[in-house]
């Protein structure tokens, strides 16, 4: 069964001038149980809006969302019980200590009282926050607050964990910790959906991705397949001297050049014979997510 | 699932326990001041067979109960909306009406604790030595606390800021409390006000509590009990309506 099944979901808002604005436009994709899925796209693409519809916080104007087969709009409480959610905005309670925040939040998901203490300690230890147990939540630093929000989301051992930009504004070593935790949870069977700005992170973590831009899906599938699709037909190379006559079919891509490939051996020979010692680097490796992303979003902007 | 709602209730009780001094002392000082003044002014006066001081005392305690039960959920919810932690209420798997009830019950609990402490601190100075109807008194206090707790939830979800809360308390709650027969029997009020007071829901809460505590009633107890139940049902409906509007999927 799919952990998440999004079918033709659309969400419209009204702009201040009362014009309709489509934040999520006919989006469909699925996530298989036990996978790590990245939802990627530039700012304002509609990622957070889509996530808030999955969490039963906003209602789609059209389309359906099923979590573990249950409709989010028809069974919101049941769906919420299965989810752990780390929202994009950092929000903390004013009055409570870290321990209290977690204790009551776990309770609201039905974690029995006698289990809460041990779970809180376990999660905080893993997130390197255990020495803040008795501190007031609002006095934590930004990165600590972010980790507190992650802790809140996983205490009840959700089947499906959703993280909206969990590493935004978090330093490198902390990001490693967060991703290590996500990997462990995934290894234990938790399905993960996350969004991030850092495409390298997505590259390292995800098996599958959905790229969205202007509310529309522009690419969806297994990361490997997408990378192959974008690289199998091209050789990338850099030149020392850029002011030289080019071989037919060579195009500039940033500081690189690209040559459409039909046969690896023959095309490589053609390029090296033409440019000779002018070639600084040459490769036919898989395209990075960033390159794919730029290419796709440029195309869709034209 | 029941446990989720109770955890939310426990959290809201914890919230006011953290400001216990505030919770207890400001209403306590309030009641003590009023009693000091009325004690001096009223002396040994009697109202229909009970001492005036005892009459006012029960009125003041009812007022305190109503204020604490109402303001606890309103404050908590207005703060939650302002700092954004209201999102927690949208994420957790607790149905909307249960979220409302958890907050209202926490309001009742605060009212109850405040009342208990105020009584312990002041009852020694009041010529009131027995409780006329203990169980009805408990029921009257409980239903009054939950009733205004629910109104507080509705208001907390509806209000945008603390200003609205101040406006409501100053221009609606306070006048209603003054016309509720807290300080004098409403029959003794001049012409239009004695009738108007009959339509003041708070009057009926004060009346059932005072009747249960002292045996004295300021109008029909039966009518008051029916009005209190009806208004509670109304506030329950209002609370659910406003809670849903705020927490449902938009
Ligand atoms: N409640 C709302 N009302 C009006 N516009 C909104 C609302 N929420 C989001 N938007 C708009 O929808 C678009 C998508 O926003 P969002 O989902 O937050 O993007 P992302 O998370 O991908 O950065 C943005 O242009 C944003 O301004
Ligand atoms: Mg976002």
């Amino acid at each position: 069964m799919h952990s998440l099944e999004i079918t033709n979901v659309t969400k419209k808002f009204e702009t201040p001038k009362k014009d309709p604005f489509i934040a999520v436009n006919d989006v469909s994709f699925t996530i298989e149980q036990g996978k790590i899925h990245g939802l990627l796209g530039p700012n304002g693409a509609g990622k957070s809006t889509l996530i808030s519809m999955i969490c039963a916080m906003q209602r789609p104007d059209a389309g359906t969302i099923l979590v573990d087969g249950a409709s989010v709009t028809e069974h919101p409480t049941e769906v919420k019980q299965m989810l752990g959610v780390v929202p994009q905005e950092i929000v903390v309670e004013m009055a409570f200590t870290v321990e209290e925040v977690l204790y009551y939040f776990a309770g609201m998901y039905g974690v029995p009282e006698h289990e809460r203490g041990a779970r809180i300690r376990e999660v905080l230890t893993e997130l390197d926050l255990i020495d803040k147990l008795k501190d007031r939540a609002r006095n934590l630093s930004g990165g600590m607050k972010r980790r507190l929000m992650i802790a809140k989301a996983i205490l009840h051992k959700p089947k499906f964990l959703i993280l909206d930009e969990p590493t935004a504004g978090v330093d490198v070593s902390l990001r490693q910790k967060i991703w290590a935790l996500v990997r462990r949870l995934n290894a234990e069977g938790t399905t993960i959906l996350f969004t991030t700005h850092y495409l390298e992170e997505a590259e390292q973590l995800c098996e599958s991705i959905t790229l969205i831009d202007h509310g529309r899906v522009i690419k969806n599938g297994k990361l490997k397949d997408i990378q192959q699709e974008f690289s199998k037909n091209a050789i990338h190379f850099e030149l020392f001297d850029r002011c030289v006559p080019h071989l037919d079919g060579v195009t500039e891509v940033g500081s690189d050049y690209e040559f459409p490939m039909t046969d690896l051996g023959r095309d490589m020979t053609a390029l090296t014979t033409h440019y000779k010692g002018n070639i600084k680097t040459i490769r036919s490796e898989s395209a990075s997510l960033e390159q794919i992303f730029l290419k796709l979003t440029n195309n869709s902007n034209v | 699932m029941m446990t989720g709602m109770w955890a939310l209730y426990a959290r809201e009780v914890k919230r006011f326990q953290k400001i216990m001094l505030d919770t207890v002392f400001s209403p306590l000082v309030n009641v003590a001041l009023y009693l000091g003044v009325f004690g001096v002014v009223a002396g040994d006066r009697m109202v229909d067979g009970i001492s005036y001081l005892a009459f006012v005392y029960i009125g003041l305690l009812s007022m305190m109960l109503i204020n604490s039960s109402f303001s606890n959920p309103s404050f908590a919810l207005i703060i939650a909306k302002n700092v954004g932690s209201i999102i927690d209420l949208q994420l957790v798997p607790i149905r909307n009406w249960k979220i409302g009830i958890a907050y209202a019950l926490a309001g009742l609990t605060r009212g109850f604790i405040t009342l208990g402490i105020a009584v312990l601190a002041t009852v020694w100075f009041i010529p009131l030595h027995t409780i006329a109807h203990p169980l009805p008194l408990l029921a009257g206090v409980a239903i009054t606390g939950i009733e205004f707790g629910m109104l507080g939830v509705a208001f907390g979800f509806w209000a945008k800021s603390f200003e609205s809360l101040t406006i409501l308390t100053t221009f609606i709650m306070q006048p209603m409390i003054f016309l509720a027969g807290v300080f004098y029997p409403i029959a003794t009020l001049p012409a239009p006000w004695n009738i108007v007071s009959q339509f003041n829901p708070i009057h009926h809460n004060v009346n059932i509590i005072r009747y249960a505590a002292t045996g004295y009633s300021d109008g029909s107890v039966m009518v008051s009990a029916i009005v209190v139940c009806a208004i509670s049902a109304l506030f329950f409906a209002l609370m659910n309506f406003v809670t849903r509007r705020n927490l449902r999927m938009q």
Side-chain angles (χ1 to χ4, degrees):
Chain A
M1 190 174 12
H2 294 299
S3 264
L4 178 71
E5 210 170 332
I6 298 181
T7 316
N8 305 115
V9 165
T10 295
K11 181 73 187 175
K12 299 178 185 129
F13 292 116
E14 260 187 7
T15 61
K17 288 185 215 152
K18 300 281 174 197
D19 301 323
F21 170 79
I22 304 179
V24 173
N25 196 345
D26 198 25
V27 165
S28 303
F29 66 91
T30 58
I31 303 179
E32 274 171 63
Q33 207 167 340
K35 299 289 189 224
I36 303 186
H37 190 93
L39 177 62
L40 312 172
N43 268 325
K47 305 181 295 294
S48 297
T49 305
L50 189 56
I51 282 178
S52 70
M53 288 188 284
I54 301 170
C55 309
M57 288 169 57
Q58 292 191 11
R59 183 182 291 278
D61 292 311
T64 55
I65 302 177
L66 304 182
V67 174
D68 236 19
S71 156
V72 173
T73 43
E74 279 160 44
H75 305 285
T77 311
E78 290 71 14
V79 167
K80 287 174 189 179
Q81 184 67 50
M82 292 189 264
L83 299 181
V85 184
V86 184
Q88 182 176 1
E89 299 286 326
I90 294 184
V91 166
V92 289
E93 275 280 356
M94 299 296 282
F96 297 120
T97 65
V98 167
E99 185 177 31
E100 288 162 348
V101 165
L102 295 172
Y103 180 83
Y104 294 115
F105 202 69
M108 287 186 238
Y109 279 90
V111 177
E113 250 171 278
H114 64 271
E115 285 181 25
R116 291 183 216 164
R119 284 207 203 173
I120 290 170
R121 276 163 200 286
E122 187 190 337
V123 168
L124 287 186
T125 306
E126 190 163 2
L127 283 166
D128 225 355
L129 211 57
I130 190 71
D131 51 329
K132 301 288 176 192
L133 190 67
K134 304 283 180 191
D135 286 24
R136 282 249 219 156
R138 68 160 163 190
N139 294 339
L140 299 180
S141 72
M144 291 174 186
K145 283 178 182 159
R146 179 74 75 187
R147 277 177 284 165
L148 174 58
M149 293 191 38
I150 295 172
K152 276 168 82 176
I154 62 178
L155 277 174
H156 62 288
K157 307 197 171 156
K159 278 182 165 177
F160 186 7
L161 178 62
I162 298 178
L163 309 103
D164 197 354
E165 314 239 358
T167 52
V170 166
D171 66 52
V172 182
S173 77
L174 209 52
R175 266 192 251 161
Q176 295 304 326
K177 270 206 180 82
I178 293 174
W179 293 130
L181 175 72
V182 166
R183 279 209 180 89
R184 174 181 71 79
L185 291 169
N186 178 250
E188 290 168 5
T190 314
T191 310
I192 314 272
L193 170 67
F194 74 93
T195 73
T196 179
H197 259 49
Y198 304 103
L199 292 171
E200 336 73 89
E201 290 185 343
E203 232 161 1
Q204 287 163 26
L205 277 162
C206 302
E207 285 155 275
S208 56
I209 58 166
T210 301
L211 287 178
I212 67 171
D213 192 22
H214 295 103
R216 282 184 179 280
V217 173
I218 51 177
K219 204 79 210 174
N220 177 56
K222 287 214 163 62
L223 182 60
K224 273 207 190 91
D225 297 346
I226 293 173
Q227 283 176 327
Q228 233 166 50
E229 177 190 333
F230 277 81
S231 56
K232 67 179 177 208
N233 298 323
I235 297 172
H236 291 263
F237 59 97
E238 285 175 289
L239 296 178
F240 290 110
D241 179 5
R242 302 169 68 91
C243 305
V244 291
H246 289 295
L247 210 57
D248 270 0
V250 168
T251 50
E252 248 180 274
V253 181
S255 60
D256 282 11
Y257 291 91
E258 195 181 288
F259 184 70
M261 180 173 82
T262 41
D263 179 292
L264 180 63
R266 203 189 61 213
D267 294 334
M268 279 282 191
T269 318
L271 285 168
T272 43
T273 351
H274 180 82
Y275 292 103
K276 304 209 171 66
N278 195 11
I279 292 181
K280 197 159 136 195
T281 61
I282 186 160
R283 66 197 182 276
S284 68
E285 76 204 23
S286 59
S288 76
L289 208 42
E290 196 159 336
Q291 287 165 330
I292 296 172
F293 191 75
L294 284 174
K295 201 162 185 169
L296 283 169
T297 49
N298 283 343
N299 286 347
S300 74
N301 285 344
V302 173
Chain B
M1 191 184 301
M2 224 43 197
T3 49
M5 183 187 110
W6 289 113
L8 176 58
Y9 164 77
R11 187 186 81 175
E12 293 310 308
V13 169
K14 183 81 185 176
R15 191 190 303 281
F16 72 73
Q17 281 177 345
K18 294 195 148 229
I19 45 163
M20 209 55 185
L21 280 184
D22 249 36
T23 305
V24 169
F25 279 92
S26 43
L28 193 59
V29 168
N30 230 315
V31 171
L33 280 177
Y34 271 116
L35 279 184
V37 172
F38 280 100
V40 171
V41 175
D44 297 334
R45 262 177 56 197
M46 303 289 281
V47 179
D48 291 334
I50 66 162
S51 97
Y52 179 61
L53 202 54
F55 176 93
V56 169
Y57 182 59
I58 302 297
L60 287 171
L61 291 179
S62 311
M63 191 173 96
M64 197 178 75
L65 170 69
I66 289 173
N67 271 332
S68 329
S69 308
F70 172 81
S71 54
N72 192 66
S74 342
F75 265 91
L77 287 168
I78 293 174
I79 291 174
K81 287 206 289 194
N82 280 297
V83 302
S85 58
I86 195 97
I87 192 178
D88 283 353
L89 299 181
Q90 295 177 290
L91 288 178
V92 295
I94 308 177
R95 285 174 210 289
N96 293 340
W97 70 271
K98 286 186 181 176
I99 288 177
I101 287 291
Y103 272 86
L105 282 175
L108 163 69
T109 308
R110 179 164 179 174
F112 220 84
I113 291 175
T114 316
L115 195 65
I117 292 174
V119 168
L120 282 179
T122 54
V123 75
W124 322 106
F125 310 105
I126 306 298
L128 187 69
H129 306 293
T130 56
I131 292 174
H133 310 288
L135 280 182
L137 178 61
L138 202 64
V141 166
I143 194 165
T144 300
I146 192 88
E147 176 186 340
F148 286 91
M150 293 189 298
L151 183 66
V153 174
F155 187 76
F157 272 119
W158 173 79
K160 299 274 177 295
S161 65
F162 287 107
E163 271 124 70
S164 336
L165 186 62
T166 317
I167 290 171
L168 181 91
T169 342
T170 320
F171 294 104
I172 298 176
M173 294 287 273
Q174 294 294 357
M176 277 175 74
I177 287 171
F178 274 91
L179 292 174
V182 168
F183 301 110
Y184 22 70
I186 59 168
T188 65
L189 286 172
W193 301 113
N194 53 356
I195 308 293
V196 171
S197 296
Q198 292 289 345
F199 292 97
N200 178 352
I202 296 178
H203 160 66
H204 298 283
N205 294 89
V206 175
N207 196 35
I208 55 170
I209 292 176
R210 189 182 281 131
Y211 170 74
T214 67
Y216 167 88
S217 80
D218 191 10
S220 161
V221 179
M222 204 52 183
V223 169
S224 290
I226 291 169
V227 170
V228 167
C229 290
I231 298 285
S232 298
L234 183 74
F235 286 176
F236 178 68
L238 181 70
M239 173 183 83
N240 281 339
F241 177 73
V242 184
T243 307
R244 251 183 63 78
R245 276 187 66 118
N246 275 268
L247 296 183
R248 66 154 188 224
M249 289 177 256
Q250 308 274 350

